[in-house]
Amino acid sequence: MLRASCHCGAVHIDLERKPRSLTRCTCSICRRYGARWAYCTRRTASVYSDPGALAAYTWGDATIEFYHCRRCGCLTHYESVDKNEGSRIAVNARMLPPEDTAGIRVRTFDGAATWRYLD
Ligand SMILES: [Zn+2]
């Protein structure tokens, strides 16, 4: 199990297993956040937070919600608005200890234009 945590510790996410790859997305929001996504589901990643610690951001057609810690500001994950057991949680692997992500391949996804991986 791996544990991702925001800086202040008000939010943490437990991942069932080590991700095989991480994704750096070029879309308008991911490039600003500088996130590296580890794609999980609600079965393989569990989010824990202090009451009121999580804030969500959506825009446009509002199909996904980006969550950050209200206290320290760290972007922790995103999820689809329609939450079910199998739905995706993308965990920001920047919240993991560096030794837990060392050596994991980082793939670039062209979310800005072609919606394809660039490797
Ligand atoms: Zn925090």
Side-chain angles (χ1 to χ4, degrees), residues 2-16:
L2 302 181
R3 176 161 290 185
S5 172
C6 70
H7 191 260
C8 76
V11 182
H12 73 263
I13 305 174
D14 288 342
L15 284 69
E16 201 174 273

PDB file of all heavy atoms in Angstrom, residues 2-16:
ATOM      1  N   LEU A   2       0.434   2.256  -0.745  1.00  0.00           N
ATOM      2  CA  LEU A   2       1.126   3.538  -0.754  1.00  0.00           C
ATOM      3  C   LEU A   2       0.197   4.594  -0.170  1.00  0.00           C
ATOM      4  O   LEU A   2      -1.017   4.509  -0.327  1.00  0.00           O
ATOM      5  CB  LEU A   2       1.494   3.954  -2.179  1.00  0.00           C
ATOM      6  CG  LEU A   2       2.367   3.014  -3.015  1.00  0.00           C
ATOM      7  CD1 LEU A   2       2.629   3.642  -4.369  1.00  0.00           C
ATOM      8  CD2 LEU A   2       3.679   2.731  -2.307  1.00  0.00           C
ATOM      9  N   ARG A   3       0.779   5.579   0.471  1.00  0.00           N
ATOM     10  CA  ARG A   3      -0.030   6.656   1.024  1.00  0.00           C
ATOM     11  C   ARG A   3       0.399   8.009   0.445  1.00  0.00           C
ATOM     12  O   ARG A   3       1.540   8.429   0.606  1.00  0.00           O
ATOM     13  CB  ARG A   3       0.079   6.691   2.541  1.00  0.00           C
ATOM     14  CG  ARG A   3      -0.705   7.883   3.131  1.00  0.00           C
ATOM     15  CD  ARG A   3      -0.992   7.708   4.590  1.00  0.00           C
ATOM     16  NE  ARG A   3      -1.971   6.647   4.801  1.00  0.00           N
ATOM     17  CZ  ARG A   3      -2.477   6.349   6.000  1.00  0.00           C
ATOM     18  NH1 ARG A   3      -2.087   7.020   7.070  1.00  0.00           N
ATOM     19  NH2 ARG A   3      -3.359   5.381   6.123  1.00  0.00           N
ATOM     20  N   ALA A   4      -0.567   8.651  -0.228  1.00  0.00           N
ATOM     21  CA  ALA A   4      -0.370  10.009  -0.720  1.00  0.00           C
ATOM     22  C   ALA A   4      -0.961  10.953   0.318  1.00  0.00           C
ATOM     23  O   ALA A   4      -2.010  10.660   0.897  1.00  0.00           O
ATOM     24  CB  ALA A   4      -1.077  10.192  -2.060  1.00  0.00           C
ATOM     25  N   SER A   5      -0.300  12.066   0.533  1.00  0.00           N
ATOM     26  CA  SER A   5      -0.786  13.002   1.544  1.00  0.00           C
ATOM     27  C   SER A   5      -0.527  14.437   1.110  1.00  0.00           C
ATOM     28  O   SER A   5       0.498  14.728   0.489  1.00  0.00           O
ATOM     29  CB  SER A   5      -0.063  12.719   2.862  1.00  0.00           C
ATOM     30  OG  SER A   5      -0.378  13.719   3.811  1.00  0.00           O
ATOM     31  N   CYS A   6      -1.471  15.324   1.448  1.00  0.00           N
ATOM     32  CA  CYS A   6      -1.220  16.744   1.224  1.00  0.00           C
ATOM     33  C   CYS A   6      -0.154  17.218   2.207  1.00  0.00           C
ATOM     34  O   CYS A   6       0.244  16.482   3.115  1.00  0.00           O
ATOM     35  CB  CYS A   6      -2.503  17.555   1.348  1.00  0.00           C
ATOM     36  SG  CYS A   6      -3.137  17.664   3.036  1.00  0.00           S
ATOM     37  N   HIS A   7       0.287  18.455   2.056  1.00  0.00           N
ATOM     38  CA  HIS A   7       1.397  18.934   2.878  1.00  0.00           C
ATOM     39  C   HIS A   7       1.057  18.979   4.361  1.00  0.00           C
ATOM     40  O   HIS A   7       1.858  18.607   5.212  1.00  0.00           O
ATOM     41  CB  HIS A   7       1.835  20.330   2.402  1.00  0.00           C
ATOM     42  CG  HIS A   7       3.123  20.778   3.014  1.00  0.00           C
ATOM     43  ND1 HIS A   7       3.167  21.648   4.090  1.00  0.00           N
ATOM     44  CD2 HIS A   7       4.395  20.446   2.731  1.00  0.00           C
ATOM     45  CE1 HIS A   7       4.430  21.836   4.424  1.00  0.00           C
ATOM     46  NE2 HIS A   7       5.203  21.131   3.614  1.00  0.00           N
ATOM     47  N   CYS A   8      -0.157  19.400   4.681  1.00  0.00           N
ATOM     48  CA  CYS A   8      -0.515  19.565   6.097  1.00  0.00           C
ATOM     49  C   CYS A   8      -1.060  18.276   6.717  1.00  0.00           C
ATOM     50  O   CYS A   8      -1.204  18.189   7.939  1.00  0.00           O
ATOM     51  CB  CYS A   8      -1.509  20.704   6.269  1.00  0.00           C
ATOM     52  SG  CYS A   8      -3.196  20.311   5.771  1.00  0.00           S
ATOM     53  N   GLY A   9      -1.407  17.298   5.880  1.00  0.00           N
ATOM     54  CA  GLY A   9      -1.881  16.013   6.399  1.00  0.00           C
ATOM     55  C   GLY A   9      -3.384  15.928   6.609  1.00  0.00           C
ATOM     56  O   GLY A   9      -3.887  14.898   7.063  1.00  0.00           O
ATOM     57  N   ALA A  10      -4.126  16.985   6.257  1.00  0.00           N
ATOM     58  CA  ALA A  10      -5.587  16.953   6.433  1.00  0.00           C
ATOM     59  C   ALA A  10      -6.260  16.002   5.442  1.00  0.00           C
ATOM     60  O   ALA A  10      -7.379  15.553   5.661  1.00  0.00           O
ATOM     61  CB  ALA A  10      -6.167  18.359   6.279  1.00  0.00           C
ATOM     62  N   VAL A  11      -5.565  15.727   4.326  1.00  0.00           N
ATOM     63  CA  VAL A  11      -6.097  14.825   3.302  1.00  0.00           C
ATOM     64  C   VAL A  11      -5.049  13.770   3.006  1.00  0.00           C
ATOM     65  O   VAL A  11      -3.871  14.099   2.808  1.00  0.00           O
ATOM     66  CB  VAL A  11      -6.403  15.585   1.981  1.00  0.00           C
ATOM     67  CG1 VAL A  11      -7.006  14.637   0.941  1.00  0.00           C
ATOM     68  CG2 VAL A  11      -7.329  16.774   2.239  1.00  0.00           C
ATOM     69  N   HIS A  12      -5.457  12.494   3.012  1.00  0.00           N
ATOM     70  CA  HIS A  12      -4.553  11.471   2.494  1.00  0.00           C
ATOM     71  C   HIS A  12      -5.332  10.438   1.696  1.00  0.00           C
ATOM     72  O   HIS A  12      -6.544  10.289   1.853  1.00  0.00           O
ATOM     73  CB  HIS A  12      -3.680  10.850   3.592  1.00  0.00           C
ATOM     74  CG  HIS A  12      -4.401   9.924   4.517  1.00  0.00           C
ATOM     75  ND1 HIS A  12      -4.892  10.314   5.735  1.00  0.00           N
ATOM     76  CD2 HIS A  12      -4.724   8.613   4.400  1.00  0.00           C
ATOM     77  CE1 HIS A  12      -5.475   9.297   6.327  1.00  0.00           C
ATOM     78  NE2 HIS A  12      -5.398   8.234   5.544  1.00  0.00           N
ATOM     79  N   ILE A  13      -4.612   9.790   0.814  1.00  0.00           N
ATOM     80  CA  ILE A  13      -5.212   8.792  -0.070  1.00  0.00           C
ATOM     81  C   ILE A  13      -4.357   7.546  -0.024  1.00  0.00           C
ATOM     82  O   ILE A  13      -3.137   7.616  -0.226  1.00  0.00           O
ATOM     83  CB  ILE A  13      -5.299   9.316  -1.525  1.00  0.00           C
ATOM     84  CG1 ILE A  13      -6.056  10.650  -1.575  1.00  0.00           C
ATOM     85  CG2 ILE A  13      -5.975   8.281  -2.427  1.00  0.00           C
ATOM     86  CD1 ILE A  13      -6.070  11.314  -2.943  1.00  0.00           C
ATOM     87  N   ASP A  14      -4.994   6.423   0.273  1.00  0.00           N
ATOM     88  CA  ASP A  14      -4.280   5.148   0.277  1.00  0.00           C
ATOM     89  C   ASP A  14      -4.486   4.445  -1.057  1.00  0.00           C
ATOM     90  O   ASP A  14      -5.623   4.264  -1.510  1.00  0.00           O
ATOM     91  CB  ASP A  14      -4.783   4.262   1.417  1.00  0.00           C
ATOM     92  CG  ASP A  14      -4.308   4.768   2.774  1.00  0.00           C
ATOM     93  OD1 ASP A  14      -3.339   5.563   2.801  1.00  0.00           O
ATOM     94  OD2 ASP A  14      -4.895   4.374   3.791  1.00  0.00           O
ATOM     95  N   LEU A  15      -3.386   4.053  -1.665  1.00  0.00           N
ATOM     96  CA  LEU A  15      -3.415   3.342  -2.945  1.00  0.00           C
ATOM     97  C   LEU A  15      -3.088   1.883  -2.687  1.00  0.00           C
ATOM     98  O   LEU A  15      -2.106   1.580  -2.003  1.00  0.00           O
ATOM     99  CB  LEU A  15      -2.368   3.905  -3.925  1.00  0.00           C
ATOM    100  CG  LEU A  15      -2.648   5.225  -4.618  1.00  0.00           C
ATOM    101  CD1 LEU A  15      -2.620   6.379  -3.640  1.00  0.00           C
ATOM    102  CD2 LEU A  15      -1.621   5.453  -5.715  1.00  0.00           C
ATOM    103  N   GLU A  16      -3.913   1.024  -3.263  1.00  0.00           N
ATOM    104  CA  GLU A  16      -3.764  -0.402  -3.047  1.00  0.00           C
ATOM    105  C   GLU A  16      -2.432  -0.939  -3.579  1.00  0.00           C
ATOM    106  O   GLU A  16      -1.840  -1.833  -3.011  1.00  0.00           O
ATOM    107  CB  GLU A  16      -4.921  -1.108  -3.755  1.00  0.00           C
ATOM    108  CG  GLU A  16      -5.225  -2.489  -3.270  1.00  0.00           C
ATOM    109  CD  GLU A  16      -6.491  -3.011  -3.949  1.00  0.00           C
ATOM    110  OE1 GLU A  16      -7.575  -2.742  -3.412  1.00  0.00           O
ATOM    111  OE2 GLU A  16      -6.378  -3.650  -5.006  1.00  0.00           O
TER     112      GLU A  16
END
